[in-house]
Amino acid sequence: MLLASAVVVWEWLNEHGRWRPYSPAVSHQIEAAIRSSDPRGGSVVLGQVDSRLSPYIIDLQSMHQFRQDTGTIRPVRRTFYDPVSAPGQGWQWEWENDAGTWTPYDMEVAIAIESAHSRQQTCLDLTPLGFCYLIDFKNMTQVNRQSQRCRRIQRRADLAYPLVSGPLPVPKGGAVGGGLPVLGLGQPCSCQQCMLVLSVKTGAGGPGGPGGGAAAIQTLNRRALTMQRPKISRAPSARLSRPPWGGACSRAPPTTRRCRTAWPSPRTRRRHGGTPSCSPSRWPPSPPAPPPWVSRSSLAGLSRPALQRIAMAQSRALIASGVPTVPVKNLNGSSPVHPALAGMTGILMSAAALPVCLTRPPKLVLHPPPISKSDIKPVPGFNHSCRKTTKKQVRKGKTPEEVVKKYLQKVKSPPEEDCTICMEPLGGPSGYKGPGVGPVSKAESVGRLTQCGHQYHFQCLVAMYNNGNKDGSLQCPTCKTIYGVKTGNQPAGKMEYHVIPHSLPGHPDCKSIRIIYNIPPGIQGPEHPNPGKPFTARGFPRHCYLPDSEKGRKVLRLLLVAWDRRLIFSVGTSSTTGESDTVIWNEVHHKTEFGSNLTGHGFPDPGHLDNVLEELRAQGITEEDALVEK
């Protein structure tokens, strides 16, 4: 047997399908929770070590991260890396984001960068890792090969990730990779980690199992090592079963929680005919051990899938069993209230010394199954499948004063109330003193909007119009009634739509309409917040979905009207990332999750279509506009 070591990094899966590492401190906290002998230890509150992660809880039973305030659930994993790699040595590689803060690279990318840096390379191409970037170590920059955009990078010393050790088998007749000596063969250790490793080896094609001949073992650095394994037979009744928690090596003595093995001399091993188990002789005897292995490997000799199976099995098995748990179900829906209540319930149960087990959530399904071009059909009743927008066309001929007067009635005797724009009495002058508004006569100083009847200073309405899109429309600041045709500041782009042969959850009787929005980055125009400054367009193309029903097609027609009026998107500050000068949604909700509703942006959602119709109505788009669209 061999004491092999590896660095453990805990990671979570983001919405782009990439595994992002937790900090070393958080990984240490999770590992400490796993090593804890507390039988109630089934979840980890991340806010105890990092206040920025206070809403998050990791459920070790289901290997998921739960956010209490929104109900978002994401998978987590426990990954092994070489102790001499970047996480084992405490080096963090980070890049500077648009907000001026530092973002860590994915762990495998950071390991590749650190390896190239240690070899004193001048640059590193990340294309083989799936990223179109070039790392320049001389200038400490990251260059995008497509856009040539340059960002700063840094190498920062931090706490090393936790190091775990455990007795693992080694191949007979030689050492693996690290040049460690081979120990005599005998019965394997009966501790929990050894049992898990042996069971994974059995399922991965060990002796007596599938593929028990020559096996190609992939090491952590992706190099293949071929080992010859002689075939042996096993007794039909011999099985690898998990030992009871009261047995040997299930708990360490009070002074230590690590499983230790005292290796005797070769003479002692020959006299006793095997290696001792890792439990002292005064502990209860171990359960019957499985037959000895003829061919074994260290941790570095296991492939990445095998390592992931070991990590998952360890994380589940090291949680005490036999204690009744009260499940806290993940209640799906568009509202985050129910999942958040489940998270708070879990916290209260933990505080009351009750074990908590969050049920495993359904898998996030953002996109439909692969679709061939021949299966994509036009939407019934539509003569086209694509719509483009260009830059905003400036309307000429009418001054702001002429536009505002078109929607006003004169008020001879203003009421004794305040103008809700400038908060000054209507009987007095306007509180607006800025440019762009000329003097008016007292008879025209106050006007009443023709439809809703709300009254304002004429100069205040002109100033409000000048601060908007200047598109010939006016919106009452009190009741939001729209006068004219409202347009937005959506950048130029393309909208595609077609029918795909898959049904949305909650709509099994019809196919689905897929909408694809694509807006490239560009320069802000005069209608945008910062004219002349570049704007970004993150996450495009964006895929959205509607049921191919009568109401779904009506919503699509109104969305086309909103697209033509540039009301689907806008340029501003993202409420999700905080990034400014970027393309954002403009208060018309879309469903971007195809086969699930974990984020609240998917199906089933019975009220979604009615909600979209109401939101479009608030933008001045009604069913009469759908008739014109036909």
Side-chain angles (χ1 to χ4, degrees):
M1 299 300 291
L2 165 68
L3 281 176
S5 299
V7 171
V8 173
V9 178
W10 281 84
E11 300 168 307
W12 57 277
L13 187 66
N14 69 7
E15 61 273 15
H16 304 296
R18 290 164 47 195
W19 289 98
R20 303 290 297 141
Y22 289 104
S23 67
V26 172
S27 292
H28 275 279
Q29 181 197 15
I30 301 173
E31 286 297 305
I34 289 180
R35 293 193 306 267
S36 174
S37 60
D38 184 1
R40 300 188 305 269
S43 59
V44 182
V45 181
L46 301 187
Q48 294 176 352
V49 68
D50 190 342
S51 59
R52 296 172 298 177
L53 303 179
S54 55
Y56 297 97
I57 294 177
I58 288 182
D59 176 46
L60 297 175
Q61 190 74 21
S62 63
M63 292 293 284
H64 280 80
Q65 169 192 280
F66 179 80
R67 180 164 179 167
Q68 304 167 66
D69 53 352
T70 64
T72 303
I73 297 179
R74 299 184 186 275
V76 300
R77 72 179 184 181
R78 184 177 186 239
T79 311
F80 292 121
Y81 292 99
D82 195 331
V84 299
S85 61
Q89 300 299 314
W91 290 112
Q92 293 276 349
W93 283 91
E94 301 169 324
W95 56 276
E96 187 179 27
N97 56 35
D98 294 334
T101 58
W102 295 96
T103 302
Y105 282 95
D106 294 354
M107 188 51 63
E108 293 195 355
V109 176
I111 291 175
I113 297 176
E114 175 62 23
S115 177
H117 181 268
S118 63
R119 294 194 300 268
Q120 298 183 350
Q121 294 182 206
T122 58
C123 61
L124 174 65
D125 187 2
L126 298 182
T127 303
L129 296 176
F131 298 93
C132 192
Y133 296 111
L134 182 68
I135 302 298
D136 184 351
F137 291 108
K138 182 178 179 181
N139 300 316
M140 290 298 284
T141 56
Q142 166 193 285
V143 181
N144 189 313
R145 286 183 170 274
Q146 293 180 346
S147 65
Q148 299 301 312
R149 182 173 183 178
C150 184
R151 295 181 184 270
R152 291 193 301 161
I153 64 174
Q154 70 173 6
R155 180 177 184 252
R156 180 175 58 84
D158 199 350
L159 180 69
Y161 279 87
L163 184 69
V164 295
S165 301
L168 294 175
V170 297
K172 182 179 181 180
V176 175
L180 295 173
V182 179
L183 303 174
L185 294 176
Q187 288 189 348
C189 172
S190 60
C191 73
Q192 194 77 355
Q193 185 175 15
C194 294
M195 299 289 286
L196 289 167
V197 173
L198 295 180
S199 64
V200 171
K201 293 289 288 182
T202 303
I217 299 179
Q218 188 177 12
T219 61
L220 286 176
N221 57 1
R222 304 285 195 253
R223 292 180 298 179
L225 172 66
T226 302
M227 300 170 51
Q228 192 71 25
R229 294 175 176 169
K231 297 181 180 181
I232 62 172
S233 60
R234 302 181 63 179
S237 60
R239 294 189 306 172
L240 286 178
S241 59
R242 191 176 71 177
W245 283 96
C249 208
S250 63
R251 283 192 191 172
T255 57
T256 177
R257 289 178 181 169
R258 290 188 179 270
C259 177
R260 299 180 179 177
T261 304
W263 296 108
S265 64
R267 182 179 302 175
T268 305
R269 288 198 300 272
R270 285 193 299 268
R271 182 168 64 248
H272 292 282
T275 58
S277 68
C278 59
S279 59
S281 58
R282 61 182 176 87
W283 285 12
S286 304
W293 291 95
V294 176
S295 186
R296 302 167 184 166
S297 71
S298 68
L299 180 62
L302 292 176
S303 63
R304 178 57 59 87
L307 289 172
Q308 294 303 328
R309 288 195 295 272
I310 291 176
M312 182 72 74
Q314 282 179 328
S315 300
R316 291 176 178 172
L318 291 178
I319 301 171
S321 61
V323 179
T325 60
V326 180
V328 179
K329 292 185 178 180
N330 171 42
L331 303 176
N332 294 320
S334 58
S335 170
V337 175
H338 289 168
L341 287 176
M344 289 186 286
T345 304
I347 293 177
L348 294 175
M349 292 169 61
S350 297
L354 291 174
V356 180
C357 176
L358 296 176
T359 57
R360 181 181 295 274
K363 184 179 179 181
L364 180 69
V365 182
L366 291 177
H367 302 292
I371 305 169
S372 62
K373 290 185 178 180
S374 60
D375 291 332
I376 297 177
K377 305 296 182 182
V379 181
F382 289 73
N383 299 324
H384 37 70
S385 60
C386 180
R387 190 72 62 92
K388 294 183 179 180
T389 58
T390 57
K391 292 184 178 180
K392 181 179 177 64
Q393 302 295 324
V394 180
R395 297 189 180 187
K396 300 180 180 180
K398 289 188 177 182
T399 64
E401 288 80 3
E402 292 174 337
V403 173
V404 172
K405 286 181 180 179
K406 184 172 64 172
Y407 306 120
L408 286 182
Q409 296 175 342
K410 296 181 180 179
V411 177
K412 296 182 179 179
S413 300
E416 295 182 359
E417 57 186 49
D418 293 340
C419 171
T420 56
I421 299 177
C422 67
M423 302 309 295
E424 295 291 339
L426 289 174
S430 169
Y432 181 77
K433 306 297 181 184
V437 178
V440 294
S441 62
K442 188 175 182 180
E444 296 180 341
S445 62
V446 177
R448 179 189 296 110
L449 291 173
T450 54
Q451 294 184 31
C452 61
H454 291 108
Q455 302 180 34
Y456 305 95
H457 287 125
F458 176 76
Q459 292 174 312
C460 293
L461 289 174
V462 172
M464 183 183 72
Y465 179 83
N466 284 328
N467 289 330
N469 288 332
K470 302 178 185 178
D471 57 359
S473 69
L474 192 69
Q475 187 168 15
C476 175
T478 301
C479 65
K480 308 303 180 184
T481 300
I482 296 175
Y483 296 82
V485 178
K486 179 182 177 180
T487 60
N489 62 3
Q490 173 182 292
K494 183 171 68 172
M495 174 184 178
E496 300 178 73
Y497 42 94
H498 47 252
V499 174
I500 57 177
H502 299 289
S503 299
L504 292 165
H507 300 274
D509 54 341
C510 62
K511 298 179 181 180
S512 303
I513 299 173
R514 179 169 62 183
I515 306 173
I516 303 176
Y517 295 110
N518 200 356
I519 296 179
I523 304 298
Q524 298 184 51
E527 72 274 19
H528 294 133
N530 298 298
K533 185 177 179 180
F535 67 85
T536 60
R538 309 292 186 192
F540 288 94
R542 300 186 184 183
H543 291 223
C544 308
Y545 304 95
L546 290 170
D548 185 26
S549 60
E550 182 179 353
K551 183 177 282 189
R553 290 191 286 270
K554 179 167 67 174
V555 169
L556 176 61
R557 291 189 184 278
L558 295 182
L559 288 176
L560 287 171
V561 176
W563 175 263
D564 291 338
R565 296 182 186 179
R566 307 174 69 198
L567 294 170
I568 300 293
F569 296 95
S570 181
V571 174
T573 300
S574 171
S575 60
T576 304
T577 64
E579 181 182 8
S580 58
D581 299 310
T582 189
V583 179
I584 58 175
W585 292 105
N586 188 35
E587 299 181 359
V588 178
H589 285 81
H590 287 64
K591 293 296 186 180
T592 56
E593 194 175 345
F594 178 81
S596 56
N597 195 19
L598 298 184
T599 64
H601 302 297
F603 294 91
D605 186 353
H608 170 64
L609 298 179
D610 292 328
N611 292 337
V612 174
L613 291 174
E614 189 63 32
E615 291 167 347
L616 290 170
R617 193 175 296 111
Q619 298 285 352
I621 301 174
T622 62
E623 297 184 12
E624 287 76 13
D625 296 302
L627 298 176
V628 176
E629 176 62 24
K630 289 183 179 181

